[in-house]
Structure formats: structure tokens, C-alpha cells
Amino acid sequence: MYQDLQVIDFHSHFPTSRPWFEGMGEDWRKDYVERVGERRAQIAREQAMAYNREWRLAWDFPPPEQEHPGDEVQGDRWAAEIERYGLRAVAFVTGGGNDHLASIIARHPRKFIGFAHHYPFGEEAAAELSRAVTDLGLRGYKLLAPALDRPIEDPAAYPVWEMCAELDIPVLIHFGIMGSGGGIAWHENINPLKLHNVAKDFPDVTFVVPHFGCAWVRETLQLCWACRNVCIDTSGSNQWIRWVEGDLTIKQLFRKYMETIGPERIIFGSDSSWFPRGFAIRYLQDQIRDTRDLGLSHDQLQLIFGGNAARLFKLNLADEA
Ligand SMILES: [Zn+2]
């Protein structure tokens, strides 16, 4: 327990030594280098590093360690983080491909949950999802819409949505700015309303839009209004909040989403990944404070910080980790 809550982190990234985009078929970072050349890519990397440093200083986060100790050690370190903070479980939305992430989950099956993460438009995509869930034990499907090379509503992905319905798994799809400073801010799939027709066609599939809509609050709220099968997650620093109109705060976002979609569709995530930071406890602390300040009941907090994730992953919160 953390305070009086069973906490599940719905959205973290396993800090693997493998490429995050393993299994996606397309690697936008590699494509970028091929398009602009190594010299320009290096300039862009240095520019991005300046943003990242400013962001880390603002949050007082340590820089990511440069040496990678190997994925088994990383897995054990993550399990220790879960013990340290009394979390129920952490879900990793990426982790070096489906087989690799499944092997990490298998080391700590009571504490770790994994999402399948592979290219949705290929002919084998639905079969791969079925294998990832049924054989490998993964419990959701994750996509980064601005990293795809086709519109999210492309009919080629419909067999995958059909499979999500059949397997009854949640689908987490990132929209809006992607990556850290210097990342992507424009793409044909940047706007979460792009999901409208897919979400309408599959009302039996739960779609989760991360980071409170990642600067597309108006659009995400409209999407949630149009499609009751759309939820949001609260993960990350949500630094985008500085760039939207008004002096918006995370607390106001909680209030706005509570008014529109209620506690059953708001899901806590941290977007943690690297060490030595480990689990980004500060996001959990800040969000618990904000929701308590708003006067949410214990039952509402429990839904947001663990109950909704447990429902989507079919975990019994009564079972101790
Ligand atoms: Zn993330």
C-alpha cells in the first residue's frame, strides 16, 4: 500500500538496453538520420539535450546514468522500487519488443505488467497481438500515433482493433507532442480526435489517451464525450501544460476531467523509465495531493490510482503483490 491506496502505475517504460522501437517496423529516429544526414542529426541531438537539461533541473531529477547494467539488473532494480514505495504493480508500455518485455515480466510476474508494442498495419499484426497476449502474457497494446507512417484510422489496422476486442485488452495510444524536448510536435496523427472513428467503430475496446491529452485537452475532452470507451492517463511531468491557454495546473486538469468523464476513466501513470530516478514518486505525491485537495473520496482516489488499471488488466486488488 502507498498511504491507504493500492497503487498501479499504468504507464512506465522499461529501461532496456534495446531500442524502444524494436518491433515497430519503422524507427522514426533512424529515418530522421537517413533523411537529414549524421551532421544535422547531431546538431538536433545537442539542441534537444539543452531542453532536457533545463527540464531535469526544473524538476530536480538526476541525469540518466550512462552505463547500462543489463536488463536483468534493471528488472530487479524496478522490482525493488515497487517494494520501496509499496506499489501494487507497474505496467511497462515499452520494453524492447514483445518477446523481450515478456521475459522481463516473467522475472517478477506479480509486480510487472507488460503491453504489446508492435507495428499495427502489417498483415501479421493481429496474429502477433494474439500471440503476445495469449502466449506471452502481455495485457495491453501500446502505440505512439506520431511515430506511425500511416493515419491511425487506416483500415489496415482494423484486424488489430478487432483482436483487441476479442482479447478484451486496453489500448494505450499516445497523441500530441512526443519524446522529450526536441521531440516531435507535428504529424498527421498528432491530434487525438484522429482516433474518433476507430473508437466509434470499436465501442467494446477501451482506448486510453495518455498525459491528460498532452496539450490537446479540448480535443481529448470532445473525444471522451463522443466515445465513452476513451479514458485518459495522468502520466509524466505534463510540461505541455505551460503552453496551453490560461494558467492551467494539474489540479485543474483533474477537476476538468472529473466533471467530464468521472473517476472511472482517469488512470494514474508515472511515465518513469531511467535510473537513478527510478519510479518518479514525485508525480504520484503531487497527484495524490491534488486529488485530495479537490475533495475526492477514498473510493474515487482508489479508482484513479489503481482500481481502473486493475479492472482493465483483470487483476484482483485483493490479492497481495
Ligand atoms: Zn510514455
Side-chain angles (χ1 to χ4, degrees):
M1 300 276 270
Y2 183 85
Q3 295 186 359
D4 53 353
L5 299 167
Q6 299 241 46
V7 173
I8 298 175
D9 178 355
F10 188 77
H11 179 156
S12 275
H13 296 265
F14 187 78
T16 173
S17 57
R18 290 164 164 246
W20 279 21
F21 289 81
E22 185 104 4
M24 289 306 294
E26 295 286 323
D27 183 336
W28 59 273
R29 292 171 216 253
K30 204 173 89 218
D31 290 348
Y32 177 71
V33 177
E34 277 169 13
R35 193 167 73 246
V36 304
E38 182 51 47
R39 184 185 69 85
R40 287 195 166 125
Q42 183 56 28
I43 295 171
R45 272 195 286 272
E46 281 161 22
Q47 289 168 341
M49 270 160 56
Y51 281 117
N52 289 340
R53 187 169 176 281
E54 284 164 22
W55 172 79
R56 272 203 319 275
L57 287 174
W59 283 90
D60 202 17
F61 289 142
E65 59 195 10
Q66 294 302 306
E67 293 286 301
H68 196 285
D71 283 0
E72 294 195 349
V73 173
Q74 295 292 67
D76 295 345
R77 288 166 104 187
W78 254 107
E81 289 289 283
I82 290 167
E83 290 280 332
R84 177 179 171 197
Y85 294 113
L87 309 179
R88 174 61 178 81
V90 169
F92 295 111
V93 302
T94 60
N98 295 344
D99 287 287
H100 188 67
L101 182 58
S103 73
I104 306 270
I105 306 296
R107 281 177 71 81
H108 300 281
R110 304 277 298 160
K111 294 186 169 74
F112 293 172
I113 294 157
F115 279 71
H117 179 57
H118 60 270
Y119 189 64
F121 303 121
E123 279 193 6
E124 299 300 312
E128 170 59 12
L129 184 60
S130 173
R131 186 186 75 89
V133 173
T134 309
D135 299 348
L136 300 179
L138 301 180
R139 292 173 187 251
Y141 185 49
K142 163 72 192 273
L143 287 174
L144 296 154
L148 297 172
D149 63 349
R150 295 193 201 182
I152 193 75
E153 71 273 28
D154 192 299
Y158 267 58
V160 171
W161 313 131
E162 203 67 73
M163 186 56 73
C164 292
E166 193 177 310
L167 296 167
D168 192 19
I169 55 166
V171 183
L172 178 61
I173 309 182
H174 179 105
F175 294 92
I177 57 162
M178 195 181 74
S180 44
I184 288 187
W186 179 246
H187 184 276
E188 65 176 333
N189 289 329
I190 205 84
N191 185 333
L193 277 175
K194 286 283 281 182
L195 190 63
H196 180 273
N197 294 354
V198 173
K200 281 273 188 216
D201 287 352
F202 294 91
D204 46 346
V205 174
T206 298
F207 294 93
V208 183
V209 175
H211 319 302
F212 289 102
C214 212
W216 297 81
V217 176
R218 191 182 66 163
E219 290 76 6
T220 304
L221 287 164
Q222 291 175 59
L223 180 67
C224 288
W225 173 82
C227 309
R228 286 191 75 93
N229 52 320
V230 175
C231 303
I232 57 119
D233 90 24
T234 67
S235 64
S237 67
N238 292 301
Q239 60 170 321
W240 58 262
I241 210 165
R242 294 174 294 155
W243 312 321
V244 294
E245 226 179 312
D247 280 327
L248 200 56
T249 62
I250 302 280
K251 188 170 156 185
Q252 287 166 338
L253 281 175
F254 269 114
R255 185 188 295 142
K256 183 66 79 181
Y257 279 98
M258 279 294 291
E259 286 168 2
T260 312
I261 63 177
E264 292 86 4
R265 292 161 68 191
I266 303 173
I267 306 170
F268 166 73
S270 75
D271 214 9
S272 302
S273 52
W274 83 85
F275 286 98
R277 184 181 70 167
F279 176 67
I281 182 68
R282 190 155 160 199
Y283 301 152
L284 176 62
Q285 290 168 329
D286 287 355
Q287 293 186 15
I288 286 179
R289 181 201 57 217
D290 287 343
T291 45
R292 289 198 192 279
D293 278 357
L294 286 169
L296 269 62
S297 69
H298 173 267
D299 288 353
Q300 291 174 325
L301 262 76
Q302 183 55 73
L303 283 171
I304 293 169
F305 291 99
N308 293 328
R311 183 182 72 240
L312 293 173
F313 293 138
K314 304 187 197 76
L315 291 184
N316 186 352
L317 278 182
D319 289 349
E320 268 309 303

